[in-house]
Amino acid sequence: MENLQELIESADTLQTLEVARIEIFGKKGILAAEFAKMKSVPNEEKKEFAKNLNIEKAKLTGLFDAKKSLLQEAALSESMKKDGVDVTLFNSYNESGALHPVNETMNKIIDYFVSMNFSIEEERLVEDDFHNFEALNLPKYHPARDMQDTFYMNDDYVLRTHTSPVQIRTMMNKKVKPPIRMISPGSVFRRDFDVTHTPMFHQVEGLVVDDEGKVSFAHLKFILEDFLHYMFGNEIEIRFRPSYFPFTEPSAEVDISCVFCEGKGCRICSHTGWLEVLGSGMVDPNVFKAVGYENVSGYAFGFGVERFAMLIHRIPDLRSLFEADLRLLEQFR
Ligand code: PHE
């Protein structure tokens, strides 16, 4: 049995040890053959024969187990050396996040109006017909409702189509009295989806009401011009264009000279040289009537934040702001 010990000891890999195991301990192995000889051993010697054989088997098993764990350990440390990661090596993977361009633009807008002493009002996203339409001088079946075809929860509740209902909620809030100077940032919803529209987007509403009736269109014009220069730089041109909103009278849409072609005319400004960025006007007397205000004057304005972000960062497709594509977002780090 000397050579069997030899066989185990000389194995230098787990594979050769396995070959030895089968040869020695296998069903058709050497030990099995030895035990088979029992049959031909005379009865009185059987006991002694079996005892010796079992001692031998135990010795070989112990030897085998020891050898096996030795080889396993060696294999493990070998593979650790080969596949190991050196955690002390310099790591250049260092990705910090960034504000989403819509948030960044929103923050810039809020900073401006806070610096001008406007308060910030936030309100609900599910609005009732009265606040979203009726009180804003948009009676049922008014054709202007079509401009803002929206998501109806049922006949009485809609996902708000604009932030203008916050004008109504602020003025009807018993704790608020004129003078009012507020902006209201938040998300709004419309059934649109194309390069310049997504079904959810963000607006900022502005409302200024003076209890002495002294607020005029001149004040509105000043604040919006100052604000737009702050957002887009002093180089841009600004124009006020007569327009229509049910809740303001007179109303104006505000354009800036195209930031892409500097007013020369390009595809993005439809070759007009101008980009529409804002709706505004003096608060319509019917709105004041709806909220129970008398002897006041005021102005209001509203605009989309994504549109601002798009123009500031030259983003060609507004929908890409909501696709969570890292190739876009990484650029704002
Ligand atoms: N609510 C209007 C819109 O969503 C914008 C607006 C607000 C216009 C306030 C005038 C005054 O288009």
Side-chain angles (χ1 to χ4, degrees):
M1 297 266 161
E2 285 289 296
N3 58 332
L4 292 190
Q5 287 189 27
E6 197 43 66
L7 199 60
I8 292 172
E9 243 130 51
S10 65
D12 53 1
T13 64
L14 284 164
Q15 286 82 353
T16 50
L17 184 68
E18 177 63 7
V19 172
R21 184 191 68 79
I22 294 166
E23 202 176 328
I24 299 167
F25 303 99
K27 255 195 214 139
K28 292 176 185 158
I30 296 165
L31 281 177
E34 284 300 311
F35 278 108
K37 286 181 189 156
M38 283 274 278
K39 273 185 274 167
S40 48
V41 173
N43 270 349
E44 59 279 15
E45 287 170 32
K46 265 199 167 82
K47 199 175 163 196
E48 188 65 17
F49 181 86
K51 191 178 151 198
N52 286 338
L53 209 52
N54 276 322
I55 290 172
E56 196 58 37
K57 187 185 173 184
K59 216 157 83 186
L60 287 168
T61 304
L63 218 61
F64 173 83
D65 289 346
K67 186 73 185 180
K68 187 172 176 185
S69 52
L70 213 72
L71 288 175
Q72 274 173 336
E73 239 169 77
L76 182 65
S77 74
E78 184 60 29
S79 87
M80 288 209 303
K81 240 186 268 163
K82 206 166 81 215
D83 309 328
V85 173
D86 185 348
V87 294
T88 66
L89 277 179
F90 176 69
N91 177 7
S92 63
Y93 186 86
N94 178 18
E95 294 203 31
S96 55
L99 272 184
H100 189 279
V102 172
N103 286 333
E104 180 225 49
T105 307
M106 187 72 106
N107 288 350
K108 192 168 175 189
I109 292 163
I110 291 172
D111 279 352
Y112 174 82
F113 285 105
V114 166
S115 82
M116 288 301 197
N117 217 14
F118 282 65
S119 67
I120 300 192
E121 305 294 335
E122 282 188 292
E123 266 300 342
R124 60 206 71 189
L125 306 183
V126 178
E127 263 302 357
D128 55 42
D129 195 84
F130 175 79
H131 292 89
N132 196 80
F133 295 122
E134 201 89 40
L136 289 162
N137 201 25
L138 267 150
K140 274 201 165 61
Y141 312 113
H142 192 291
R145 283 198 184 195
D146 290 348
M147 295 193 317
Q148 302 191 346
D149 203 2
T150 185
F151 301 100
Y152 280 83
M153 313 296 287
N154 57 29
D155 282 349
D156 301 318
Y157 289 93
V158 297
L159 292 184
R160 67 181 187 185
T161 56
H162 49 178
T163 42
S164 299
V166 188
Q167 290 187 37
I168 306 301
R169 291 205 178 267
T170 304
M171 289 190 280
M172 292 184 86
N173 180 344
K174 298 228 158 41
K175 286 183 229 134
V176 176
K177 295 217 158 51
I180 294 171
R181 264 174 109 73
M182 72 85 168
I183 57 163
S184 183
S187 34
V188 300
F189 308 84
R190 292 185 198 176
R191 281 180 33 193
D192 294 324
F193 192 64
D194 60 44
V195 248
T196 50
H197 297 89
T198 48
M200 187 282 304
F201 64 104
H202 297 81
Q203 283 191 334
V204 175
E205 190 81 9
L207 174 70
V208 171
V209 179
D210 179 60
D211 51 350
E212 291 171 27
K214 281 189 190 146
V215 161
S216 73
F217 201 93
H219 297 108
L220 168 67
K221 193 156 185 274
F222 166 79
I223 198 99
L224 291 182
E225 282 182 351
D226 193 52
F227 167 62
L228 290 172
H229 279 138
Y230 167 84
M231 291 303 286
F232 295 101
N234 282 327
E235 326 72 74
I236 58 149
E237 303 278 336
I238 298 169
R239 75 174 182 190
F240 284 68
R241 194 161 34 78
S243 183
Y244 171 77
F245 296 102
F247 32 91
T248 47
E249 181 61 34
S251 304
E253 259 163 327
V254 185
D255 300 337
I256 60 170
S257 53
C258 181
V259 294
F260 293 92
C261 63
E262 281 153 15
K264 290 186 203 72
C266 67
R267 204 171 50 84
I268 292 166
C269 59
S270 311
H271 305 283
T272 61
W274 295 96
L275 296 164
E276 181 194 317
V277 291
L278 222 144
S280 68
M282 301 307 292
V283 178
D284 192 289
N286 284 342
V287 174
F288 284 139
K289 209 184 289 165
V291 300
Y293 274 16
E294 278 169 8
N295 304 321
V296 294
S297 69
Y299 64 76
F301 55 85
F303 54 87
V305 178
E306 280 75 4
R307 182 150 174 81
F308 275 52
M310 207 176 156
L311 296 176
I312 290 167
H313 295 296
R314 312 276 199 273
I315 299 168
D317 187 338
L318 190 140
R319 292 172 295 192
S320 62
L321 287 169
F322 301 112
E323 283 167 355
D325 188 333
L326 282 180
R327 288 169 300 177
L328 178 110
L329 300 174
E330 274 168 352
Q331 298 174 56
F332 296 94
R333 246 195 243 124

